[in-house]
Amino acid sequence: MLQENIDYYINEDGNFVFTKEYHLKRGYCCKNKCLHCPWNYGREKQDGQTKK
């Protein structure tokens, strides 16, 4: 069972937003570029490297 403020929260627009903890419990990336994706799917690298 999902727990509010642990697995998800409801944002100012009334949408459910899943947390990093929820994604880790689920155990895989859905490849939907989730806001709290622990696998950083769809995010740019933060190490300063650029693609050539």
Side-chain angles (χ1 to χ4, degrees), residues 1-9 17-19 22 25:
M1 181 172 224
L2 297 176
Q3 296 178 359
E4 189 170 2
N5 297 320
I6 295 174
D7 296 312
Y8 70 93
Y9 60 90
V17 180
F18 291 109
T19 63
Y22 168 78
K25 285 181 195 176

Side-chain angles (χ1 to χ4, degrees), residues 33-44:
K33 300 180 183 177
C34 298
L35 179 62
H36 300 293
C37 180
W39 296 280
N40 294 320
Y41 180 80
R43 312 264 175 175
E44 291 187 24

